[in-house]
Amino acid sequence: MPANQTRSRARERNNALNRPEFMSLNQPLKSSSAEARGTARRPSQRHQQSQTQPGTNGQHESPENNKERKELPEEDCMQLNPSFKGIAMNSLLAIDICMSKRLGVCAHTTSSWGSVRSMVKLLALTGHGIPWIFGTIVCLTRSNTLAGQEVLVNLLLALLLDVMTVAGMQKLVKRKGPWEMAPSFLDYLAMDIYSFPAAHASRAAMVSKFLLAHLVLAVPLRILLVLWAVLVGMSRVLLGRHHLTDVGCGFALGFLHYSLVEMVWLSSNTCQTLISIGTFNWSPLY
């Protein structure tokens, strides 16, 4: 028995199929077919991996692309399928800016109408809020009639309402004029810094409507008063301080202020009370 075992071992050693390089020949056919299938699947798997790698790279790159898109300003982003309302608004704003810049013929001394710039500035000054407020206070101190004091007090309140409302709307909208210009000292006092709405146009419309309603004026003076209000509004466009839409909205706001003052009109007794509180030594007339 031991001799037979030794002989069998020797045969196995001498058998070439038992060598490592020929071990695959002793494996069954199923394994070989499985390997063939595996080799057949490998190219497809590689192809799938090659397809999935760009996707994964795109996923890794997507946050960077999103950051770049977020960093782009809104002006550089193209809107697809914009609405008709948006197109109309943008077109009207473009026309407004273009026409306002062309009408700014007195914006600088070197402009086409630069020689009359001082006269246009003087015309615009007549619609400034500070002269009107101080002028109303001076007239109120020299008035000796109850009716005159009543009208002047309500006019003063209307002027203050106009200044505060326009200043608040300008601070809210913060629209700049067609030409880049620094506000003057009087503009800072009246808080008339931005373009929309036009404070001079609003004040001119309100004052002209107020005076036409509460003063007895001849027809030529009434025509001149209306013409003055229109010229004050246009002077701001000629000086390059406001757009045409700013002046138009300013006129509408002025009429609204006049309507509000008429609705809350202060009586003569209330005006006398306010005068006595403001002056401390005013002797009201009875």
Side-chain angles (χ1 to χ4, degrees):
M1 292 297 291
N4 293 330
Q5 292 178 355
T6 55
R7 289 177 184 176
S8 62
R9 290 177 181 175
R11 289 176 184 175
E12 290 177 357
R13 290 176 183 174
N14 295 327
N15 190 2
L17 296 176
N18 292 329
R19 293 181 181 179
E21 57 268 21
F22 298 109
M23 289 295 291
S24 61
L25 297 175
N26 295 326
Q27 295 178 357
L29 294 175
K30 293 181 180 180
S31 63
S32 61
S33 62
E35 288 182 357
R37 291 175 184 175
T39 54
R41 290 176 181 177
R42 284 175 187 173
S44 62
Q45 291 177 356
R46 291 177 182 175
H47 182 66
Q48 291 177 358
Q49 290 178 357
S50 63
Q51 289 181 353
T52 55
Q53 283 179 358
T56 56
N57 293 330
Q59 292 178 358
H60 291 298
E61 293 177 357
S62 60
E64 296 179 357
N65 295 331
N66 292 332
K67 290 180 181 179
E68 292 179 357
R69 290 175 183 174
K70 289 179 181 179
E71 291 177 357
L72 290 175
E74 295 180 357
E75 292 81 0
D76 297 337
C77 297
M78 182 178 65
Q79 295 181 356
L80 298 178
N81 298 326
S83 62
F84 176 77
K85 183 179 180 181
I87 295 174
M89 290 297 295
N90 292 331
S91 301
L92 290 175
L93 288 175
I95 294 172
D96 178 36
I97 293 172
C98 181
M99 293 184 64
S100 300
K101 284 189 174 183
R102 290 187 177 183
L103 289 175
V105 293
C106 300
H108 303 284
T109 55
T110 57
S111 301
S112 58
W113 288 17
S115 58
V116 297
R117 175 179 167 82
S118 58
M119 296 179 62
V120 177
K121 289 182 69 175
L122 182 61
L123 176 62
L125 184 62
T126 59
H128 204 281
I130 301 300
W132 273 101
I133 291 174
F134 278 100
T136 304
I137 293 174
V138 171
C139 293
L140 184 59
T141 57
R142 297 186 178 183
S143 179
N144 296 322
T145 60
L146 292 177
Q149 292 175 4
E150 179 182 354
V151 172
L152 290 172
V153 168
N154 284 277
L155 177 59
L156 181 61
L157 294 178
L159 291 170
L160 294 176
L161 175 65
D162 179 80
V163 170
M164 299 302 294
T165 305
V166 172
M169 293 184 64
Q170 287 186 357
K171 190 68 175 178
L172 182 64
V173 179
K174 292 184 178 180
R175 186 186 187 187
K176 296 183 179 180
W179 299 90
E180 294 292 336
M181 294 182 180
S184 62
F185 178 71
L186 289 177
D187 292 335
Y188 279 111
L189 288 179
M191 296 177 288
D192 185 11
I193 301 175
Y194 295 101
S195 177
F196 182 88
H200 289 67
S202 174
R203 194 170 302 111
M206 187 271 296
V207 170
S208 62
K209 183 66 176 176
F210 188 93
L211 296 180
L212 288 174
H214 297 282
L215 293 182
V216 180
L217 300 174
V219 175
L221 292 178
R222 299 174 75 89
I223 295 174
L224 288 176
L225 190 59
V226 174
L227 184 62
W228 166 79
V230 175
L231 291 178
V232 167
M234 290 303 301
S235 65
R236 301 294 287 177
V237 178
L238 297 177
L239 292 172
R241 303 302 297 268
H242 293 286
H243 300 87
L244 289 173
T245 52
D246 301 336
V247 175
C249 292
F251 284 141
L253 189 62
F255 286 113
L256 178 62
H257 290 159
Y258 168 76
S259 300
L260 290 176
V261 171
E262 291 294 326
M263 290 174 60
V264 295
W265 184 267
L266 300 181
S267 62
S268 179
N269 294 330
T270 306
C271 294
Q272 295 301 319
T273 303
L274 293 175
I275 291 171
S276 61
I277 292 173
T279 57
F280 296 106
N281 56 358
W282 191 282
S283 56
L285 299 176
Y286 296 101

